[in-house]
């Protein structure tokens, strides 16, 4: 299939596909007429990349999954290097969740302090409604 069809089927743009090619994540074969040529395996690679990026993986973090598929494995996450990326990503997410929990606790404390020092709040009275 040509680049336009691959882009359409993968839900991306031809520009993105050329970028992936420049980064070594996608290999374009050339037909006799010079056009890029792709197959279903390329579509599988793209779907793996898109799935990972949709959940927050950086493009370079998808490389071990792509390499795993290229090596003939049935899934991109069935290789040790892919599992290592999953582990790193989970550790990164756990650290981020911890930092967010700390920030939330600080904001809640600031709110409670502000509410205590403000005393009871009285709703403003609208003079026009009597």
């Amino acid at each position: 299939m040509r680049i336009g069809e691959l882009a359409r089927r993968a839900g991306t743009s031809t520009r993105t596909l050329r970028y992936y090619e420049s980064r070594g994540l996608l290999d374009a074969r050339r037909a006799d007429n010079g056009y890029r040529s792709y197959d279903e395996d390329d579509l599988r690679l793209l779907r793996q990349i898109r799935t990972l990026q949709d959940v927050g993986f950086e493009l370079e973090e998808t490389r071990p999954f792509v390499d795993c598929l290229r090596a003939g494995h049935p899934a991109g996450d069935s290789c040790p290097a892919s599992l290592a990326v999953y582990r790193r990503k989970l550790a990164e997410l756990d650290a981020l969740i911890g930092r967010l929990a700390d920030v939330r606790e600080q904001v809640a404390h600031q709110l409670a302090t502000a509410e205590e020092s403000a005393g009871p709040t009285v709703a403003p009275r609208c003079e026009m409604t009597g």
Side-chain angles (χ1 to χ4, degrees), residues 81-120:
S82 304
L83 298 177
V85 172
Y86 275 152
R87 287 185 194 98
R88 279 194 307 271
K89 183 56 83 173
L90 278 175
E92 179 185 310
L93 291 169
D94 288 341
L96 182 58
I97 290 168
R99 287 194 301 271
L100 287 173
D102 291 344
V103 169
R104 187 193 185 288
E105 188 176 317
Q106 290 172 2
V107 170
H109 176 72
Q110 289 299 113
L111 173 61
T113 302
E115 288 175 335
E116 283 177 18
S117 66

Side-chain angles (χ1 to χ4, degrees), residues 34-112:
Y35 291 133
R36 288 174 171 89
S37 176
Y38 302 95
D39 59 23
E40 294 298 319
D41 288 337
D42 296 312
L43 182 58
R44 247 178 87 209
L45 293 177
L46 287 172
R47 287 184 175 152
Q48 177 74 77
I49 292 168
R50 296 279 308 213
T51 298
L52 292 168
Q53 285 196 301
D54 286 348
V55 296
F57 284 73
E58 298 293 327
L59 184 60
E60 193 55 36
E61 290 175 313
T62 69
R63 189 174 299 280
F65 298 85
V66 169
D67 292 344
C68 190
L69 287 171
R70 280 187 182 149
H73 294 272
D77 58 5
S78 59
C79 294
S82 304
L83 298 177
V85 172
Y86 275 152
R87 287 185 194 98
R88 279 194 307 271
K89 183 56 83 173
L90 278 175
E92 179 185 310
L93 291 169
D94 288 341
L96 182 58
I97 290 168
R99 287 194 301 271
L100 287 173
D102 291 344
V103 169
R104 187 193 185 288
E105 188 176 317
Q106 290 172 2
V107 170
H109 176 72
Q110 289 299 113
L111 173 61

